[in-house]
């Protein structure tokens, strides 16, 4: 005997995306690889060398993040003073990501962080990310999040963007003056 609402069978659940399925496995593999490389370097060069490399990565990463954040704030202030928007392609976000990867302990993350600090790599990654994002926006199904970005903008002839929604009311659906409901507060119409 059951009480309450019936439960849905397991087969009605939506399928998990590939990213959600394989991301934990990839992170676990990356963590194992990082620990293995650290033990190899510690065996070859000594534990103190590994410790100094990890401390140097944390210090270098924090300096990189601080400089990139300061540069991004300066660009934003200059753009706001001039009445425009900040320049694109500065690479501050990827520089901060590179600094974060330097802070994370491990040899692979340090190598990836150092690669992201190189301007040609930043431009290539930025271009790849923009193309992927635009492609996914174009392929978005109606009613999805990607489609919401397309629908939220209405361009006026002067170039300004107006956000809004148009609601059409049919005259036949509106109640007449004698069909309107009485207010919820106050004396009733019968009194």
């Amino acid at each position: 005997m059951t009480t309450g609402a019936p439960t849905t069978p397991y087969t009605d659940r939506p399928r998990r995306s590939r990213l959600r399925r394989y991301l934990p496995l990839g992170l676990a593999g990356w963590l194992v690889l990082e620990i293995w490389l650290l033990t190899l370097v510690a065996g070859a060069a000594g534990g103190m060398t590994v410790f100094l490399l990890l401390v140097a990565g944390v210090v270098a990463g924090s300096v990189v993040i601080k400089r990139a954040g300061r540069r991004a704030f300066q660009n934003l202030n200059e753009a706001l003073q001039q009445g425009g928007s900040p320049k694109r392609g500065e690479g501050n976000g990827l520089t901060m990501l590179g600094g974060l990867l330097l802070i994370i302990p491990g040899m692979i993350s340090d190598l990836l962080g150092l690669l992201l600090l190189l301007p040609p790599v930043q431009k290539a990654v930025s271009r790849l990310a923009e193309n992927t994002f635009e492609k996914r926006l174009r392929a978005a199904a109606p009613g999805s999040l990607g489609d919401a970005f397309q629908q939220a903008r209405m361009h006026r002839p002067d170039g300004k963007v107006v956000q809004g929604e148009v609601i059409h009311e049919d005259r036949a659906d509106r109640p007449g003056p004698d069909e309107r409901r009485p207010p919820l507060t106050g004396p009733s119409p019968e009194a």
Side-chain angles (χ1 to χ4, degrees):
M1 180 169 123
T2 60
T3 59
T7 59
T8 59
Y10 181 74
T11 56
D12 286 348
R13 289 186 183 176
R15 288 187 61 191
R16 294 177 78 177
S17 67
R18 286 184 182 167
L19 178 68
R20 286 185 58 191
R21 182 181 300 148
Y22 296 119
L23 184 66
L25 182 63
L27 286 175
W30 173 59
L31 183 63
V32 167
L33 189 60
E34 289 279 15
I35 292 171
W36 178 70
L37 280 175
L38 285 175
T39 56
L40 280 180
V41 172
M48 189 58 140
T49 305
V50 170
F51 178 73
L52 290 176
L53 281 173
L54 293 176
V55 169
V58 169
V59 171
S62 59
V63 167
V64 166
I65 288 176
K66 184 177 180 180
R67 281 189 176 177
R70 187 175 291 153
R71 187 176 27 186
F73 191 70
Q74 274 181 328
N75 290 343
L76 179 64
N77 277 339
E78 289 172 3
L80 289 176
Q81 287 175 356
Q82 295 172 359
S85 62
K87 299 178 208 170
R88 291 187 65 175
E90 292 287 323
N92 291 327
L94 290 175
T95 303
M96 286 185 185
L97 179 62
L100 179 67
L101 286 171
L102 282 173
I103 289 175
I104 295 173
M107 299 296 175
I108 298 172
S109 61
D110 287 349
L111 180 66
L112 290 174
L114 289 173
L115 281 175
L116 275 179
L117 295 180
L118 299 173
V121 175
Q122 282 183 352
K123 287 180 183 176
V125 169
S126 175
R127 201 174 318 119
L128 177 71
E130 284 179 12
N131 290 341
T132 303
F133 185 69
E134 286 178 10
K135 192 183 304 181
R136 291 207 177 188
L137 271 182
R138 277 190 236 115
S144 67
L145 181 63
D147 188 47
F149 288 117
Q150 299 289 334
Q151 292 177 1
R153 296 179 296 200
M154 296 172 58
H155 295 278
R156 290 179 40 186
D158 59 355
K160 293 182 182 176
V161 177
V162 178
Q163 293 182 352
E165 182 177 340
V166 177
I167 299 174
H168 296 282
E169 293 183 8
D170 293 333
R171 300 271 182 208
D173 293 344
R174 286 193 202 165
D178 55 342
E179 299 173 5
R180 290 192 185 149
R181 290 188 225 161
L184 295 175
T185 59
S188 65
E190 292 89 24

